[in-house]
Amino acid sequence: PEALLAFRELRNSMAHLRSLCDELGHSLTLSLPRWSDIRQGTMARAMELREVLGITVEEQIKWPDEGKAFDGWRDALFDRGVLVQVFPVAVEELRAFSVLDHGLGGVGISSRDSRRAQIFSLFHEVAHVGLRAPSASGRVFRQATNPKAQRIEPACDAFAAAFLLPPTDRHVAGAMAEL
């Protein structure tokens, strides 16, 4: 029931946002890159999105904590037509999900997950939005039997990792060398 309510609330919020933008004459549409496949060229796709969002690794590192980081990513995604909302859903039931509706993208995140996990899940779902293939992570997804979806999940995980910690970035490479 919590998961279904979260899906409905996000869709309703997207509809209200669309209505408000139309009423105000504000143009807000999904403007993330559209990918046909991210299994090949994952790093290139991650760098493309980073450029579109306009947030460098240097800026990311300067955020004082995970809460500020989540808010920074959320704001950058909103400017590109992706509404991000947090819902009180058990992680075992639903960790995160994505939807496409009203010319917008939407990502729902479980408030019961750690901030770091929320940020990773956010970009896992953003990969689904880029593929225009909405998804859900958690028990809801594990019960699905769609083989295509099963192939996409590891690629979306790899995308989120490459986006958040690009191995070619000097800051990330330096931190890894210290380990």
Side-chain angles (χ1 to χ4, degrees), residues 45-84:
R45 303 279 192 257
M47 294 303 95
E48 177 185 15
L49 179 62
R50 199 172 265 282
E51 181 139 339
V52 165
L53 295 181
I55 297 177
T56 64
V57 173
E58 290 83 5
E59 185 177 348
Q60 175 184 345
I61 290 170
K62 288 179 184 174
W63 285 326
D65 57 49
E66 287 101 359
K68 295 287 186 200
F70 186 84
D71 291 343
W73 292 124
R74 179 190 236 171
D75 291 345
L77 288 164
F78 182 83
D79 291 344
R80 298 288 178 241
V82 179
L83 180 62
V84 179

PDB file of all heavy atoms in Angstrom, residues 45-84:
ATOM      1  N   ARG A  45      28.061   8.410 -21.323  1.00  0.00           N
ATOM      2  CA  ARG A  45      26.700   8.833 -20.953  1.00  0.00           C
ATOM      3  C   ARG A  45      26.715   9.584 -19.618  1.00  0.00           C
ATOM      4  O   ARG A  45      26.033  10.587 -19.450  1.00  0.00           O
ATOM      5  CB  ARG A  45      25.766   7.633 -20.845  1.00  0.00           C
ATOM      6  CG  ARG A  45      25.659   6.774 -22.071  1.00  0.00           C
ATOM      7  CD  ARG A  45      24.716   7.375 -23.081  1.00  0.00           C
ATOM      8  NE  ARG A  45      24.395   6.419 -24.119  1.00  0.00           N
ATOM      9  CZ  ARG A  45      24.915   6.444 -25.344  1.00  0.00           C
ATOM     10  NH1 ARG A  45      25.795   7.361 -25.662  1.00  0.00           N
ATOM     11  NH2 ARG A  45      24.560   5.558 -26.244  1.00  0.00           N
ATOM     12  N   ALA A  46      27.496   9.087 -18.669  1.00  0.00           N
ATOM     13  CA  ALA A  46      27.582   9.738 -17.362  1.00  0.00           C
ATOM     14  C   ALA A  46      28.175  11.142 -17.498  1.00  0.00           C
ATOM     15  O   ALA A  46      27.679  12.095 -16.893  1.00  0.00           O
ATOM     16  CB  ALA A  46      28.423   8.891 -16.402  1.00  0.00           C
ATOM     17  N   MET A  47      29.204  11.283 -18.303  1.00  0.00           N
ATOM     18  CA  MET A  47      29.819  12.596 -18.498  1.00  0.00           C
ATOM     19  C   MET A  47      28.875  13.530 -19.256  1.00  0.00           C
ATOM     20  O   MET A  47      28.827  14.731 -18.985  1.00  0.00           O
ATOM     21  CB  MET A  47      31.148  12.470 -19.239  1.00  0.00           C
ATOM     22  CG  MET A  47      32.233  11.739 -18.440  1.00  0.00           C
ATOM     23  SD  MET A  47      32.605  12.493 -16.833  1.00  0.00           S
ATOM     24  CE  MET A  47      31.566  11.561 -15.720  1.00  0.00           C
ATOM     25  N   GLU A  48      28.115  12.979 -20.199  1.00  0.00           N
ATOM     26  CA  GLU A  48      27.131  13.775 -20.924  1.00  0.00           C
ATOM     27  C   GLU A  48      26.086  14.344 -19.961  1.00  0.00           C
ATOM     28  O   GLU A  48      25.756  15.534 -20.012  1.00  0.00           O
ATOM     29  CB  GLU A  48      26.446  12.901 -21.983  1.00  0.00           C
ATOM     30  CG  GLU A  48      25.349  13.591 -22.755  1.00  0.00           C
ATOM     31  CD  GLU A  48      24.626  12.653 -23.710  1.00  0.00           C
ATOM     32  OE1 GLU A  48      24.761  11.405 -23.591  1.00  0.00           O
ATOM     33  OE2 GLU A  48      23.902  13.180 -24.574  1.00  0.00           O
ATOM     34  N   LEU A  49      25.597  13.520 -19.053  1.00  0.00           N
ATOM     35  CA  LEU A  49      24.598  13.990 -18.100  1.00  0.00           C
ATOM     36  C   LEU A  49      25.208  15.020 -17.154  1.00  0.00           C
ATOM     37  O   LEU A  49      24.584  16.032 -16.842  1.00  0.00           O
ATOM     38  CB  LEU A  49      23.997  12.838 -17.300  1.00  0.00           C
ATOM     39  CG  LEU A  49      22.953  13.283 -16.277  1.00  0.00           C
ATOM     40  CD1 LEU A  49      21.754  13.951 -16.967  1.00  0.00           C
ATOM     41  CD2 LEU A  49      22.496  12.114 -15.430  1.00  0.00           C
ATOM     42  N   ARG A  50      26.417  14.780 -16.712  1.00  0.00           N
ATOM     43  CA  ARG A  50      27.070  15.730 -15.808  1.00  0.00           C
ATOM     44  C   ARG A  50      27.176  17.100 -16.490  1.00  0.00           C
ATOM     45  O   ARG A  50      26.928  18.139 -15.879  1.00  0.00           O
ATOM     46  CB  ARG A  50      28.448  15.210 -15.395  1.00  0.00           C
ATOM     47  CG  ARG A  50      28.975  15.891 -14.149  1.00  0.00           C
ATOM     48  CD  ARG A  50      30.239  15.221 -13.676  1.00  0.00           C
ATOM     49  NE  ARG A  50      30.026  14.232 -12.654  1.00  0.00           N
ATOM     50  CZ  ARG A  50      29.801  14.501 -11.373  1.00  0.00           C
ATOM     51  NH1 ARG A  50      29.684  15.741 -10.973  1.00  0.00           N
ATOM     52  NH2 ARG A  50      29.675  13.540 -10.502  1.00  0.00           N
ATOM     53  N   GLU A  51      27.508  17.100 -17.761  1.00  0.00           N
ATOM     54  CA  GLU A  51      27.596  18.363 -18.511  1.00  0.00           C
ATOM     55  C   GLU A  51      26.216  19.024 -18.626  1.00  0.00           C
ATOM     56  O   GLU A  51      26.087  20.236 -18.446  1.00  0.00           O
ATOM     57  CB  GLU A  51      28.163  18.109 -19.902  1.00  0.00           C
ATOM     58  CG  GLU A  51      28.280  19.378 -20.685  1.00  0.00           C
ATOM     59  CD  GLU A  51      29.559  19.449 -21.485  1.00  0.00           C
ATOM     60  OE1 GLU A  51      30.525  18.739 -21.166  1.00  0.00           O
ATOM     61  OE2 GLU A  51      29.566  20.234 -22.428  1.00  0.00           O
ATOM     62  N   VAL A  52      25.190  18.251 -18.904  1.00  0.00           N
ATOM     63  CA  VAL A  52      23.835  18.794 -19.018  1.00  0.00           C
ATOM     64  C   VAL A  52      23.392  19.409 -17.692  1.00  0.00           C
ATOM     65  O   VAL A  52      22.787  20.485 -17.666  1.00  0.00           O
ATOM     66  CB  VAL A  52      22.841  17.688 -19.471  1.00  0.00           C
ATOM     67  CG1 VAL A  52      21.398  18.105 -19.260  1.00  0.00           C
ATOM     68  CG2 VAL A  52      23.081  17.328 -20.927  1.00  0.00           C
ATOM     69  N   LEU A  53      23.697  18.745 -16.586  1.00  0.00           N
ATOM     70  CA  LEU A  53      23.297  19.247 -15.270  1.00  0.00           C
ATOM     71  C   LEU A  53      24.171  20.413 -14.819  1.00  0.00           C
ATOM     72  O   LEU A  53      23.757  21.205 -13.960  1.00  0.00           O
ATOM     73  CB  LEU A  53      23.330  18.129 -14.229  1.00  0.00           C
ATOM     74  CG  LEU A  53      22.331  16.996 -14.446  1.00  0.00           C
ATOM     75  CD1 LEU A  53      22.457  15.958 -13.332  1.00  0.00           C
ATOM     76  CD2 LEU A  53      20.901  17.499 -14.559  1.00  0.00           C
ATOM     77  N   GLY A  54      25.374  20.502 -15.360  1.00  0.00           N
ATOM     78  CA  GLY A  54      26.244  21.624 -15.039  1.00  0.00           C
ATOM     79  C   GLY A  54      26.854  21.561 -13.652  1.00  0.00           C
ATOM     80  O   GLY A  54      27.176  22.603 -13.070  1.00  0.00           O
ATOM     81  N   ILE A  55      27.042  20.370 -13.130  1.00  0.00           N
ATOM     82  CA  ILE A  55      27.659  20.221 -11.808  1.00  0.00           C
ATOM     83  C   ILE A  55      28.939  19.413 -11.957  1.00  0.00           C
ATOM     84  O   ILE A  55      28.907  18.254 -12.359  1.00  0.00           O
ATOM     85  CB  ILE A  55      26.698  19.555 -10.805  1.00  0.00           C
ATOM     86  CG1 ILE A  55      25.484  20.457 -10.598  1.00  0.00           C
ATOM     87  CG2 ILE A  55      27.402  19.274  -9.476  1.00  0.00           C
ATOM     88  CD1 ILE A  55      24.426  19.898  -9.690  1.00  0.00           C
ATOM     89  N   THR A  56      30.036  20.043 -11.616  1.00  0.00           N
ATOM     90  CA  THR A  56      31.339  19.392 -11.729  1.00  0.00           C
ATOM     91  C   THR A  56      31.619  18.555 -10.478  1.00  0.00           C
ATOM     92  O   THR A  56      30.962  18.722  -9.443  1.00  0.00           O
ATOM     93  CB  THR A  56      32.455  20.440 -11.873  1.00  0.00           C
ATOM     94  OG1 THR A  56      32.489  21.228 -10.668  1.00  0.00           O
ATOM     95  CG2 THR A  56      32.222  21.342 -13.086  1.00  0.00           C
ATOM     96  N   VAL A  57      32.602  17.704 -10.575  1.00  0.00           N
ATOM     97  CA  VAL A  57      33.024  16.933  -9.405  1.00  0.00           C
ATOM     98  C   VAL A  57      33.524  17.883  -8.320  1.00  0.00           C
ATOM     99  O   VAL A  57      33.258  17.678  -7.132  1.00  0.00           O
ATOM    100  CB  VAL A  57      34.102  15.890  -9.781  1.00  0.00           C
ATOM    101  CG1 VAL A  57      34.650  15.209  -8.545  1.00  0.00           C
ATOM    102  CG2 VAL A  57      33.536  14.859 -10.745  1.00  0.00           C
ATOM    103  N   GLU A  58      34.208  18.963  -8.714  1.00  0.00           N
ATOM    104  CA  GLU A  58      34.699  19.945  -7.742  1.00  0.00           C
ATOM    105  C   GLU A  58      33.547  20.531  -6.931  1.00  0.00           C
ATOM    106  O   GLU A  58      33.641  20.670  -5.711  1.00  0.00           O
ATOM    107  CB  GLU A  58      35.471  21.077  -8.446  1.00  0.00           C
ATOM    108  CG  GLU A  58      36.802  20.651  -9.020  1.00  0.00           C
ATOM    109  CD  GLU A  58      36.692  20.000 -10.411  1.00  0.00           C
ATOM    110  OE1 GLU A  58      35.582  19.965 -10.994  1.00  0.00           O
ATOM    111  OE2 GLU A  58      37.710  19.505 -10.891  1.00  0.00           O
ATOM    112  N   GLU A  59      32.464  20.887  -7.624  1.00  0.00           N
ATOM    113  CA  GLU A  59      31.292  21.424  -6.927  1.00  0.00           C
ATOM    114  C   GLU A  59      30.665  20.358  -6.025  1.00  0.00           C
ATOM    115  O   GLU A  59      30.289  20.630  -4.892  1.00  0.00           O
ATOM    116  CB  GLU A  59      30.266  21.934  -7.938  1.00  0.00           C
ATOM    117  CG  GLU A  59      29.082  22.616  -7.306  1.00  0.00           C
ATOM    118  CD  GLU A  59      28.108  23.190  -8.325  1.00  0.00           C
ATOM    119  OE1 GLU A  59      28.436  23.266  -9.524  1.00  0.00           O
ATOM    120  OE2 GLU A  59      26.996  23.561  -7.911  1.00  0.00           O
ATOM    121  N   GLN A  60      30.575  19.154  -6.533  1.00  0.00           N
ATOM    122  CA  GLN A  60      30.002  18.035  -5.769  1.00  0.00           C
ATOM    123  C   GLN A  60      30.786  17.830  -4.473  1.00  0.00           C
ATOM    124  O   GLN A  60      30.197  17.647  -3.411  1.00  0.00           O
ATOM    125  CB  GLN A  60      30.044  16.779  -6.640  1.00  0.00           C
ATOM    126  CG  GLN A  60      29.590  15.514  -5.967  1.00  0.00           C
ATOM    127  CD  GLN A  60      29.752  14.295  -6.878  1.00  0.00           C
ATOM    128  OE1 GLN A  60      29.936  14.418  -8.084  1.00  0.00           O
ATOM    129  NE2 GLN A  60      29.689  13.124  -6.289  1.00  0.00           N
ATOM    130  N   ILE A  61      32.090  17.896  -4.548  1.00  0.00           N
ATOM    131  CA  ILE A  61      32.947  17.678  -3.374  1.00  0.00           C
ATOM    132  C   ILE A  61      32.745  18.770  -2.330  1.00  0.00           C
ATOM    133  O   ILE A  61      32.860  18.528  -1.131  1.00  0.00           O
ATOM    134  CB  ILE A  61      34.426  17.582  -3.807  1.00  0.00           C
ATOM    135  CG1 ILE A  61      34.663  16.282  -4.571  1.00  0.00           C
ATOM    136  CG2 ILE A  61      35.365  17.686  -2.618  1.00  0.00           C
ATOM    137  CD1 ILE A  61      36.006  16.193  -5.247  1.00  0.00           C
ATOM    138  N   LYS A  62      32.407  19.979  -2.765  1.00  0.00           N
ATOM    139  CA  LYS A  62      32.250  21.113  -1.849  1.00  0.00           C
ATOM    140  C   LYS A  62      30.943  21.070  -1.050  1.00  0.00           C
ATOM    141  O   LYS A  62      30.823  21.800  -0.070  1.00  0.00           O
ATOM    142  CB  LYS A  62      32.332  22.424  -2.623  1.00  0.00           C
ATOM    143  CG  LYS A  62      33.731  22.735  -3.110  1.00  0.00           C
ATOM    144  CD  LYS A  62      33.768  24.030  -3.886  1.00  0.00           C
ATOM    145  CE  LYS A  62      35.163  24.259  -4.447  1.00  0.00           C
ATOM    146  NZ  LYS A  62      35.193  25.437  -5.323  1.00  0.00           N
ATOM    147  N   TRP A  63      29.992  20.236  -1.461  1.00  0.00           N
ATOM    148  CA  TRP A  63      28.768  20.151  -0.672  1.00  0.00           C
ATOM    149  C   TRP A  63      29.123  19.644   0.723  1.00  0.00           C
ATOM    150  O   TRP A  63      29.845  18.649   0.873  1.00  0.00           O
ATOM    151  CB  TRP A  63      27.752  19.238  -1.339  1.00  0.00           C
ATOM    152  CG  TRP A  63      27.078  19.873  -2.532  1.00  0.00           C
ATOM    153  CD1 TRP A  63      26.750  21.177  -2.699  1.00  0.00           C
ATOM    154  CD2 TRP A  63      26.654  19.210  -3.722  1.00  0.00           C
ATOM    155  NE1 TRP A  63      26.134  21.372  -3.911  1.00  0.00           N
ATOM    156  CE2 TRP A  63      26.057  20.182  -4.564  1.00  0.00           C
ATOM    157  CE3 TRP A  63      26.698  17.897  -4.169  1.00  0.00           C
ATOM    158  CZ2 TRP A  63      25.519  19.884  -5.804  1.00  0.00           C
ATOM    159  CZ3 TRP A  63      26.161  17.596  -5.405  1.00  0.00           C
ATOM    160  CH2 TRP A  63      25.580  18.578  -6.213  1.00  0.00           C
ATOM    161  N   PRO A  64      28.632  20.310   1.776  1.00  0.00           N
ATOM    162  CA  PRO A  64      29.081  19.995   3.137  1.00  0.00           C
ATOM    163  C   PRO A  64      28.598  18.652   3.690  1.00  0.00           C
ATOM    164  O   PRO A  64      29.219  18.110   4.598  1.00  0.00           O
ATOM    165  CB  PRO A  64      28.518  21.150   3.980  1.00  0.00           C
ATOM    166  CG  PRO A  64      27.388  21.698   3.191  1.00  0.00           C
ATOM    167  CD  PRO A  64      27.712  21.448   1.746  1.00  0.00           C
ATOM    168  N   ASP A  65      27.511  18.125   3.166  1.00  0.00           N
ATOM    169  CA  ASP A  65      27.017  16.840   3.672  1.00  0.00           C
ATOM    170  C   ASP A  65      26.102  16.198   2.631  1.00  0.00           C
ATOM    171  O   ASP A  65      25.778  16.797   1.607  1.00  0.00           O
ATOM    172  CB  ASP A  65      26.290  17.012   5.020  1.00  0.00           C
ATOM    173  CG  ASP A  65      25.142  18.000   4.948  1.00  0.00           C
ATOM    174  OD1 ASP A  65      24.307  17.902   4.026  1.00  0.00           O
ATOM    175  OD2 ASP A  65      25.074  18.887   5.820  1.00  0.00           O
ATOM    176  N   GLU A  66      25.687  14.970   2.928  1.00  0.00           N
ATOM    177  CA  GLU A  66      24.853  14.226   1.976  1.00  0.00           C
ATOM    178  C   GLU A  66      23.492  14.884   1.753  1.00  0.00           C
ATOM    179  O   GLU A  66      22.939  14.812   0.657  1.00  0.00           O
ATOM    180  CB  GLU A  66      24.642  12.774   2.439  1.00  0.00           C
ATOM    181  CG  GLU A  66      25.862  11.903   2.286  1.00  0.00           C
ATOM    182  CD  GLU A  66      26.600  11.714   3.595  1.00  0.00           C
ATOM    183  OE1 GLU A  66      26.173  12.272   4.627  1.00  0.00           O
ATOM    184  OE2 GLU A  66      27.625  11.017   3.586  1.00  0.00           O
ATOM    185  N   GLY A  67      22.959  15.541   2.773  1.00  0.00           N
ATOM    186  CA  GLY A  67      21.676  16.225   2.621  1.00  0.00           C
ATOM    187  C   GLY A  67      21.766  17.354   1.604  1.00  0.00           C
ATOM    188  O   GLY A  67      20.893  17.502   0.744  1.00  0.00           O
ATOM    189  N   LYS A  68      22.836  18.152   1.695  1.00  0.00           N
ATOM    190  CA  LYS A  68      23.050  19.238   0.730  1.00  0.00           C
ATOM    191  C   LYS A  68      23.311  18.665  -0.662  1.00  0.00           C
ATOM    192  O   LYS A  68      22.876  19.229  -1.671  1.00  0.00           O
ATOM    193  CB  LYS A  68      24.217  20.127   1.150  1.00  0.00           C
ATOM    194  CG  LYS A  68      23.971  20.881   2.433  1.00  0.00           C
ATOM    195  CD  LYS A  68      22.984  21.999   2.239  1.00  0.00           C
ATOM    196  CE  LYS A  68      22.892  22.804   3.523  1.00  0.00           C
ATOM    197  NZ  LYS A  68      21.685  23.576   3.608  1.00  0.00           N
ATOM    198  N   ALA A  69      24.014  17.547  -0.715  1.00  0.00           N
ATOM    199  CA  ALA A  69      24.278  16.908  -2.004  1.00  0.00           C
ATOM    200  C   ALA A  69      22.971  16.445  -2.645  1.00  0.00           C
ATOM    201  O   ALA A  69      22.717  16.717  -3.823  1.00  0.00           O
ATOM    202  CB  ALA A  69      25.235  15.725  -1.829  1.00  0.00           C
ATOM    203  N   PHE A  70      22.127  15.781  -1.875  1.00  0.00           N
ATOM    204  CA  PHE A  70      20.842  15.311  -2.404  1.00  0.00           C
ATOM    205  C   PHE A  70      20.031  16.495  -2.917  1.00  0.00           C
ATOM    206  O   PHE A  70      19.472  16.446  -4.024  1.00  0.00           O
ATOM    207  CB  PHE A  70      20.069  14.542  -1.327  1.00  0.00           C
ATOM    208  CG  PHE A  70      18.805  13.909  -1.837  1.00  0.00           C
ATOM    209  CD1 PHE A  70      18.834  12.679  -2.460  1.00  0.00           C
ATOM    210  CD2 PHE A  70      17.586  14.550  -1.686  1.00  0.00           C
ATOM    211  CE1 PHE A  70      17.667  12.092  -2.944  1.00  0.00           C
ATOM    212  CE2 PHE A  70      16.410  13.976  -2.154  1.00  0.00           C
ATOM    213  CZ  PHE A  70      16.456  12.738  -2.788  1.00  0.00           C
ATOM    214  N   ASP A  71      19.978  17.569  -2.140  1.00  0.00           N
ATOM    215  CA  ASP A  71      19.220  18.755  -2.546  1.00  0.00           C
ATOM    216  C   ASP A  71      19.816  19.393  -3.808  1.00  0.00           C
ATOM    217  O   ASP A  71      19.078  19.858  -4.681  1.00  0.00           O
ATOM    218  CB  ASP A  71      19.167  19.782  -1.414  1.00  0.00           C
ATOM    219  CG  ASP A  71      18.320  19.318  -0.236  1.00  0.00           C
ATOM    220  OD1 ASP A  71      17.518  18.362  -0.393  1.00  0.00           O
ATOM    221  OD2 ASP A  71      18.468  19.904   0.851  1.00  0.00           O
ATOM    222  N   GLY A  72      21.135  19.417  -3.907  1.00  0.00           N
ATOM    223  CA  GLY A  72      21.782  19.981  -5.093  1.00  0.00           C
ATOM    224  C   GLY A  72      21.454  19.194  -6.347  1.00  0.00           C
ATOM    225  O   GLY A  72      21.140  19.771  -7.394  1.00  0.00           O
ATOM    226  N   TRP A  73      21.526  17.868  -6.232  1.00  0.00           N
ATOM    227  CA  TRP A  73      21.178  17.029  -7.376  1.00  0.00           C
ATOM    228  C   TRP A  73      19.699  17.177  -7.721  1.00  0.00           C
ATOM    229  O   TRP A  73      19.324  17.260  -8.890  1.00  0.00           O
ATOM    230  CB  TRP A  73      21.500  15.567  -7.107  1.00  0.00           C
ATOM    231  CG  TRP A  73      22.961  15.252  -7.009  1.00  0.00           C
ATOM    232  CD1 TRP A  73      23.607  14.648  -5.970  1.00  0.00           C
ATOM    233  CD2 TRP A  73      23.968  15.510  -7.997  1.00  0.00           C
ATOM    234  NE1 TRP A  73      24.941  14.524  -6.245  1.00  0.00           N
ATOM    235  CE2 TRP A  73      25.189  15.043  -7.487  1.00  0.00           C
ATOM    236  CE3 TRP A  73      23.952  16.103  -9.256  1.00  0.00           C
ATOM    237  CZ2 TRP A  73      26.381  15.127  -8.201  1.00  0.00           C
ATOM    238  CZ3 TRP A  73      25.144  16.198  -9.965  1.00  0.00           C
ATOM    239  CH2 TRP A  73      26.346  15.713  -9.439  1.00  0.00           C
ATOM    240  N   ARG A  74      18.868  17.222  -6.703  1.00  0.00           N
ATOM    241  CA  ARG A  74      17.424  17.358  -6.909  1.00  0.00           C
ATOM    242  C   ARG A  74      17.102  18.659  -7.652  1.00  0.00           C
ATOM    243  O   ARG A  74      16.301  18.668  -8.587  1.00  0.00           O
ATOM    244  CB  ARG A  74      16.738  17.329  -5.540  1.00  0.00           C
ATOM    245  CG  ARG A  74      15.253  17.472  -5.585  1.00  0.00           C
ATOM    246  CD  ARG A  74      14.757  17.662  -4.161  1.00  0.00           C
ATOM    247  NE  ARG A  74      13.773  16.674  -3.832  1.00  0.00           N
ATOM    248  CZ  ARG A  74      13.279  16.477  -2.629  1.00  0.00           C
ATOM    249  NH1 ARG A  74      13.720  17.162  -1.606  1.00  0.00           N
ATOM    250  NH2 ARG A  74      12.354  15.579  -2.417  1.00  0.00           N
ATOM    251  N   ASP A  75      17.728  19.760  -7.246  1.00  0.00           N
ATOM    252  CA  ASP A  75      17.502  21.046  -7.905  1.00  0.00           C
ATOM    253  C   ASP A  75      17.960  21.015  -9.364  1.00  0.00           C
ATOM    254  O   ASP A  75      17.273  21.519 -10.251  1.00  0.00           O
ATOM    255  CB  ASP A  75      18.226  22.174  -7.168  1.00  0.00           C
ATOM    256  CG  ASP A  75      17.625  22.480  -5.807  1.00  0.00           C
ATOM    257  OD1 ASP A  75      16.490  22.033  -5.519  1.00  0.00           O
ATOM    258  OD2 ASP A  75      18.304  23.165  -5.010  1.00  0.00           O
ATOM    259  N   ALA A  76      19.134  20.446  -9.594  1.00  0.00           N
ATOM    260  CA  ALA A  76      19.664  20.380 -10.962  1.00  0.00           C
ATOM    261  C   ALA A  76      18.760  19.538 -11.852  1.00  0.00           C
ATOM    262  O   ALA A  76      18.518  19.882 -13.016  1.00  0.00           O
ATOM    263  CB  ALA A  76      21.085  19.811 -10.950  1.00  0.00           C
ATOM    264  N   LEU A  77      18.239  18.453 -11.319  1.00  0.00           N
ATOM    265  CA  LEU A  77      17.344  17.599 -12.104  1.00  0.00           C
ATOM    266  C   LEU A  77      16.009  18.288 -12.360  1.00  0.00           C
ATOM    267  O   LEU A  77      15.441  18.176 -13.454  1.00  0.00           O
ATOM    268  CB  LEU A  77      17.142  16.254 -11.402  1.00  0.00           C
ATOM    269  CG  LEU A  77      18.362  15.339 -11.454  1.00  0.00           C
ATOM    270  CD1 LEU A  77      18.245  14.224 -10.423  1.00  0.00           C
ATOM    271  CD2 LEU A  77      18.553  14.776 -12.856  1.00  0.00           C
ATOM    272  N   PHE A  78      15.504  19.024 -11.374  1.00  0.00           N
ATOM    273  CA  PHE A  78      14.240  19.730 -11.563  1.00  0.00           C
ATOM    274  C   PHE A  78      14.344  20.713 -12.733  1.00  0.00           C
ATOM    275  O   PHE A  78      13.411  20.819 -13.544  1.00  0.00           O
ATOM    276  CB  PHE A  78      13.839  20.476 -10.285  1.00  0.00           C
ATOM    277  CG  PHE A  78      12.523  21.179 -10.418  1.00  0.00           C
ATOM    278  CD1 PHE A  78      11.333  20.490 -10.224  1.00  0.00           C
ATOM    279  CD2 PHE A  78      12.472  22.526 -10.761  1.00  0.00           C
ATOM    280  CE1 PHE A  78      10.110  21.133 -10.370  1.00  0.00           C
ATOM    281  CE2 PHE A  78      11.257  23.177 -10.897  1.00  0.00           C
ATOM    282  CZ  PHE A  78      10.073  22.474 -10.709  1.00  0.00           C
ATOM    283  N   ASP A  79      15.468  21.399 -12.832  1.00  0.00           N
ATOM    284  CA  ASP A  79      15.670  22.346 -13.925  1.00  0.00           C
ATOM    285  C   ASP A  79      15.642  21.662 -15.286  1.00  0.00           C
ATOM    286  O   ASP A  79      15.466  22.333 -16.307  1.00  0.00           O
ATOM    287  CB  ASP A  79      16.996  23.093 -13.751  1.00  0.00           C
ATOM    288  CG  ASP A  79      16.981  24.049 -12.568  1.00  0.00           C
ATOM    289  OD1 ASP A  79      15.878  24.379 -12.064  1.00  0.00           O
ATOM    290  OD2 ASP A  79      18.082  24.454 -12.130  1.00  0.00           O
ATOM    291  N   ARG A  80      15.804  20.359 -15.310  1.00  0.00           N
ATOM    292  CA  ARG A  80      15.775  19.575 -16.550  1.00  0.00           C
ATOM    293  C   ARG A  80      14.494  18.742 -16.676  1.00  0.00           C
ATOM    294  O   ARG A  80      14.426  17.804 -17.455  1.00  0.00           O
ATOM    295  CB  ARG A  80      16.991  18.652 -16.630  1.00  0.00           C
ATOM    296  CG  ARG A  80      18.294  19.394 -16.665  1.00  0.00           C
ATOM    297  CD  ARG A  80      18.460  20.076 -18.021  1.00  0.00           C
ATOM    298  NE  ARG A  80      19.683  20.825 -18.074  1.00  0.00           N
ATOM    299  CZ  ARG A  80      19.727  22.144 -18.271  1.00  0.00           C
ATOM    300  NH1 ARG A  80      18.623  22.839 -18.423  1.00  0.00           N
ATOM    301  NH2 ARG A  80      20.871  22.766 -18.339  1.00  0.00           N
ATOM    302  N   GLY A  81      13.492  19.081 -15.864  1.00  0.00           N
ATOM    303  CA  GLY A  81      12.192  18.434 -16.007  1.00  0.00           C
ATOM    304  C   GLY A  81      12.027  17.122 -15.280  1.00  0.00           C
ATOM    305  O   GLY A  81      11.174  16.310 -15.645  1.00  0.00           O
ATOM    306  N   VAL A  82      12.825  16.901 -14.227  1.00  0.00           N
ATOM    307  CA  VAL A  82      12.702  15.679 -13.429  1.00  0.00           C
ATOM    308  C   VAL A  82      12.312  16.076 -12.004  1.00  0.00           C
ATOM    309  O   VAL A  82      13.076  16.746 -11.305  1.00  0.00           O
ATOM    310  CB  VAL A  82      14.016  14.862 -13.407  1.00  0.00           C
ATOM    311  CG1 VAL A  82      13.849  13.609 -12.549  1.00  0.00           C
ATOM    312  CG2 VAL A  82      14.445  14.496 -14.820  1.00  0.00           C
ATOM    313  N   LEU A  83      11.138  15.667 -11.598  1.00  0.00           N
ATOM    314  CA  LEU A  83      10.648  15.929 -10.248  1.00  0.00           C
ATOM    315  C   LEU A  83      11.092  14.783  -9.350  1.00  0.00           C
ATOM    316  O   LEU A  83      10.834  13.619  -9.647  1.00  0.00           O
ATOM    317  CB  LEU A  83       9.119  16.044 -10.255  1.00  0.00           C
ATOM    318  CG  LEU A  83       8.449  16.313  -8.913  1.00  0.00           C
ATOM    319  CD1 LEU A  83       8.898  17.650  -8.333  1.00  0.00           C
ATOM    320  CD2 LEU A  83       6.932  16.291  -9.083  1.00  0.00           C
ATOM    321  N   VAL A  84      11.769  15.113  -8.253  1.00  0.00           N
ATOM    322  CA  VAL A  84      12.258  14.104  -7.310  1.00  0.00           C
ATOM    323  C   VAL A  84      11.515  14.293  -5.996  1.00  0.00           C
ATOM    324  O   VAL A  84      11.516  15.381  -5.434  1.00  0.00           O
ATOM    325  CB  VAL A  84      13.779  14.244  -7.076  1.00  0.00           C
ATOM    326  CG1 VAL A  84      14.268  13.200  -6.061  1.00  0.00           C
ATOM    327  CG2 VAL A  84      14.543  14.121  -8.394  1.00  0.00           C
TER     328      VAL A  84
END
